[in-house]
Amino acid sequence: MMDEQIFPPARILGIESSCDETSAAVIANGREPLSIVTATQIEMHAQFGGVFPEVASRQHIKTVYGVIEQALQQAHMSLSDVDAIAVTLGPGLAGSLVVGVNAAKGLAVASGLPLVGVNHLEGHIYSAWLRPPEMADLPPAPQFPLLALLVSGGHTELNLITNHLEYQRLGGTLDDAAGEAFDKVARLLGLPYPGGPSIQEAAKNGNPRTFQFPRSMLEGTWNFSFSGLKTAVLRAVQNFKNDPENLPVNDLAASFQTAVVDVLVSKTLAAAKAYGAKEILLAGGVSANAALREGFRKHSPIKVNIPDLSYCTDNAAMIAAAGYFRFVAGHVSDLDVDVLPNLSLS
Ligand code: KG4
Ligand code: ZN
């Protein structure tokens, strides 16, 4: 446990470029943000309705050094003031990952600093214990064992975290990730990319009980499936094909969002109970969803750790945070380390 274990002080420069955000941050002791700079490409990809890998890679090349420079400047530091460079190795888009990893390697060679390769999903997990930018105090340290629900654009999985850096994967999605389902359903409803925030916005003005969409519980497993739900939304949309002006977008968005939240909350709470977890952790881009955050806060009998909104979607603060715990545990990468686009947590 963080409060009981003694961790040495260290300042980590983090670099993240796994998808469509180029980000750099300096974090002290795994939890204190000294600077965070993120260049988002969302507007560039919105015209394609999703992330266009080649465009993402080129844009990372253009921005990565400027973003790193700015993060050091905002922390009033030069490279000689940090103890290690942490960078996302995977999972993610190969062409995007390689830009951040090569930048990190170049800086590590030039400065002689150790290089720490980080799993992007582990970054999302450690985002929960970063001090939010507007707050004076650190959030309370985690209590293990902890049941983590990771929900992002590429992942939906339940992990039991038994200690720092120790994960036992209980199950995951058999088809779409939760964020992917939000993005695809948004497209069906004619809402802009990224789909998650668009659906959340539309759902505010909708009735979640208008459509009774299926909740796939996959009893007896800790797996998820969202393809049936997606198909049910598609069928509901098709029923309006002769009357598209009257498509009840807000009600469809609200009914879909409620179905996703019901499944995620109830399966996570059941797993937490089954494994005797002391706390729950919600992380990944979809953890920004207000209905999901509210669902957990309302129904969980045990403490729920949820990252500050500013840390939910991809950022380098979380990579520096996870990198710190790797670094102090002695996990330093070789300079010939390669990107791992399909890296898993456990
Ligand atoms: O973690 P993340 O930034 O990137 C990945 O590692 O995949 O997650 C991106 C995903 C997208 O699918 C996006 O639609 C979803 O997170 N997302 C949301 C919300 N904000 C972002 N989903 C639901 N509600 C939100 N408010
Ligand atoms: Zn992510």
Side-chain angles (χ1 to χ4, degrees):
M1 278 165 266
M2 257 180 217
D3 285 337
E4 290 160 23
Q5 292 177 29
I6 301 198
F7 292 102
R11 294 191 285 218
I12 311 289
L13 168 67
I15 301 170
E16 153 68 31
S17 72
S18 67
C19 191
D20 60 346
E21 324 279 353
T22 324
S23 183
V26 182
I27 301 293
N29 311 328
R31 304 185 72 195
E32 278 288 341
L34 303 180
S35 68
I36 308 167
V37 177
T38 302
T40 178
Q41 307 175 3
I42 283 182
E43 281 180 17
M44 268 174 212
H45 299 290
Q47 59 182 308
F48 306 111
V51 178
F52 197 94
E54 197 184 318
V55 172
S57 178
R58 282 166 190 250
Q59 193 58 27
H60 285 306
I61 292 171
K62 285 189 194 157
T63 49
V64 71
Y65 284 105
V67 165
I68 295 169
E69 197 58 52
Q70 240 178 300
L72 286 168
Q73 266 172 23
Q74 285 186 15
H76 307 290
M77 284 182 185
S78 66
L79 266 185
S80 58
D81 300 310
V82 305
D83 298 287
I85 301 170
V87 65
T88 308
L89 293 183
L93 299 168
S96 289
L97 289 164
V98 85
V99 179
V101 170
N102 282 340
K105 281 185 191 173
L107 294 175
V109 171
S111 62
L113 286 170
L115 180 70
V116 181
V118 171
N119 183 316
H120 180 84
L121 302 174
E122 191 166 71
H124 276 300
I125 286 171
Y126 278 91
S127 69
W129 298 291
L130 280 162
R131 180 175 61 75
E134 313 300 325
M135 297 237 271
D137 298 323
L138 290 173
Q143 302 287 311
F144 302 108
L146 202 145
L147 207 290
L149 172 68
L150 266 174
V151 267
S152 68
H155 291 82
T156 295
E157 55 179 62
L158 285 171
N159 280 275
L160 186 67
I161 310 184
T162 46
N163 203 343
H164 282 290
L165 316 177
E166 285 172 20
Y167 312 98
Q168 183 188 339
R169 190 179 190 275
L170 305 180
T173 182
L174 303 178
D175 37 62
D176 289 343
E180 196 179 355
F182 269 95
D183 293 335
K184 288 178 177 169
V185 165
R187 221 171 300 157
L188 287 177
L189 301 181
L191 297 169
Y193 172 86
S198 303
I199 289 202
Q200 174 171 322
E201 200 49 38
K204 277 186 195 160
N205 303 312
N207 180 349
R209 280 181 282 275
T210 308
F211 296 89
Q212 281 308 309
F213 289 135
R215 278 117 168 105
S216 173
M217 289 297 173
L218 303 182
E219 301 287 350
T221 76
W222 301 117
N223 291 328
F224 298 93
S225 168
F226 296 105
S227 67
L229 172 59
K230 194 181 61 188
T231 308
V233 178
L234 173 65
R235 285 213 196 92
V237 171
Q238 283 170 339
N239 287 338
F240 286 85
K241 71 171 183 288
N242 297 323
D243 186 19
E245 274 90 83
N246 286 320
L247 184 73
V249 171
N250 297 342
D251 294 337
L252 285 162
S255 304
F256 161 78
Q257 179 176 266
T258 301
V260 175
V261 170
D262 279 356
V263 173
L264 293 176
V265 172
S266 63
K267 286 209 77 151
T268 306
L269 294 188
K273 194 171 169 199
Y275 285 88
K278 290 192 183 148
E279 297 181 356
I280 284 172
L281 162 67
L282 175 62
V286 182
S287 69
N289 186 270
L292 186 61
R293 296 164 84 93
E294 173 65 21
F296 272 108
R297 290 199 171 118
K298 205 161 139 190
H299 297 293
S300 177
I302 54 175
K303 186 187 166 204
V304 187
N305 297 275
I306 308 180
D308 185 69
L309 263 186
S310 63
Y311 297 132
C312 286
T313 46
D314 293 348
N315 64 84
M318 68 187 202
I319 301 306
Y324 166 82
F325 288 95
R326 287 267 157 210
F327 177 62
V328 298
H331 299 212
V332 170
S333 303
D334 292 333
L335 283 175
D336 62 356
V337 67
D338 208 353
V339 300
L340 296 164
N342 300 313
L343 187 62
S344 67
L345 199 55
S346 43

